Amino acid sequence: MADKKNASESEHARRVREMFAGIASRYDLLNHLLSGNTDKRWRRLVARKLQDALSVKGARALDVACGTGDLSLALAKATGAQVVGTDFCRPMLEIAARKAKTNVSSEIPFVEGDALKLPFVGESFDAVTIAFGLRNLSSVETGLEELFRVLKPGGRAAILEFSRPVVPGFRALFQFYFARVLPKIGGVISGSRGAYEYLPDSVSRFPDQKRLAALMEDLGFAEVEYKNLTGGIAALHLGMRPLS
Ligand SMILES: C[S@@+](CC[C@H](N)C(=O)[O-])C[C@H]1O[C@@H](n2cnc3c(N)ncnc32)[C@H](O)[C@@H]1O
């Protein structure tokens, strides 16, 4: 039974890793194009929300499932903290490393690693982030447990992810764009229609705003709150690892 579960998790990880490797070179272009650059604003907000947690001298932040590193770079620029990015897809990390070289003054190590088994000791970061990564994991719970584990007591987690638009008419309109229009444009530009069909599929399986907040609380996060972004197309969830 455990073997079967492990095999299906490995298969899931392999498919997700290959999919991102296949679209890595077009990933940034498509992100900015398909969101009308709104994604940049969302990531800057994450960095602003973590400014206090990262204001202490020598503060460290971990950006999990960092992909091509846009959030890692935004964090480094906005806070001056020591940022580490981690992802299990090497082609995405290679792009992140190239961008960091020319865009930020501090060095950002990009480390290959699985979000379900982070290659870092516990209680070692003042803040952890994951942007558009959590819904890709075979277990959202294990992903959250790992974020919690590597946070120092008192440290802050920020989870940016697609969510459920809150206004019904807008939700229907957005669902049409997301499920029908976006896979076509994404497919043509990236050469992988499958990856952009997977996107709305994975979002539909992901917990909505309230369920994700409840899950974070169940797993021990304190001061859990969320903010809907652009009518709930995305949501930013924040939580703290309690001091004791
Ligand atoms: C949609 S991209 C998001 C990248 C980046 N955080 C951003 O905001 O653009 C999802 C990323 O999650 C990574 N990922 C998915 N599952 C992972 C896992 N189990 N461990 C590490 N990275 C994972 C993928 O390789 C991909 O780079």
Side-chain angles (χ1 to χ4, degrees):
M1 191 71 179
D3 279 358
K4 217 169 163 186
K5 185 167 170 265
N6 288 343
S8 96
E9 280 172 5
S10 315
E11 174 57 17
H12 176 93
R14 188 188 60 76
R15 273 192 282 116
V16 170
R17 192 189 295 113
E18 277 179 8
M19 184 181 75
F20 282 104
I23 60 169
S25 63
R26 297 287 167 98
Y27 177 80
D28 284 345
L29 169 72
L30 274 160
N31 255 357
H32 307 328
L33 185 77
L34 293 170
S35 76
N37 275 332
T38 306
D39 64 312
K40 294 184 184 170
R41 201 152 40 84
W42 293 342
R43 290 191 189 83
R44 284 199 299 268
L45 176 70
V46 178
R48 277 205 305 281
K49 290 281 183 187
L50 294 176
Q51 246 157 3
D52 283 351
L54 295 173
S55 61
V56 288
K57 198 166 180 286
R60 299 180 75 214
L62 178 67
D63 183 25
V64 176
C66 67
T68 56
D70 276 2
L71 180 56
S72 315
L73 266 65
L75 284 169
K77 280 182 189 164
T79 68
Q82 165 66 69
V83 179
V84 178
T86 183
D87 198 287
F88 71 178
C89 178
R90 190 184 281 257
M92 295 286 271
L93 285 178
E94 284 168 358
I95 294 170
R98 278 204 296 278
K99 276 163 38 181
K101 256 190 197 142
T102 49
N103 281 292
V104 280
S105 47
S106 57
E107 198 174 315
I108 304 179
F110 287 102
V111 178
E112 211 168 323
D114 190 339
L116 297 173
K117 209 177 175 195
L118 289 169
F120 304 98
V121 294
E123 305 191 7
S124 49
F125 292 94
D126 302 275
V128 293
T129 57
I130 182 164
F132 308 110
L134 198 55
R135 86 192 128 78
N136 295 296
L137 307 183
S138 57
S139 166
V140 172
E141 286 85 350
T142 309
L144 289 172
E145 281 166 359
E146 277 298 89
L147 298 181
F148 189 92
R149 182 183 67 77
V150 299
L151 263 185
K152 291 179 187 170
R156 302 271 161 180
I159 299 164
L160 175 61
E161 188 52 91
F162 287 111
S163 202
R164 189 174 157 80
V166 281
V167 180
F170 176 62
R171 187 188 309 149
L173 206 66
F174 178 71
Q175 295 302 1
F176 178 78
Y177 168 74
F178 210 47
R180 300 288 174 84
V181 180
L182 181 142
K184 288 198 178 99
I185 306 176
V188 169
I189 299 182
S190 71
S192 168
R193 172 104 181 228
Y196 286 86
E197 283 170 347
Y198 163 85
L199 174 58
D201 265 13
S202 60
V203 175
S204 70
R205 285 193 300 272
F206 189 68
D208 67 16
Q209 290 88 329
K210 288 198 173 122
R211 277 175 53 218
L212 180 58
L215 199 52
M216 289 174 72
E217 279 168 351
D218 288 351
L219 294 174
F221 286 97
E223 296 185 15
V224 174
E225 54 177 320
Y226 67 83
K227 183 177 168 52
N228 284 316
L229 306 176
T230 321
I233 289 177
L236 171 59
H237 284 69
L238 298 165
M240 183 187 86
R241 178 170 174 159
L243 285 167
S244 57

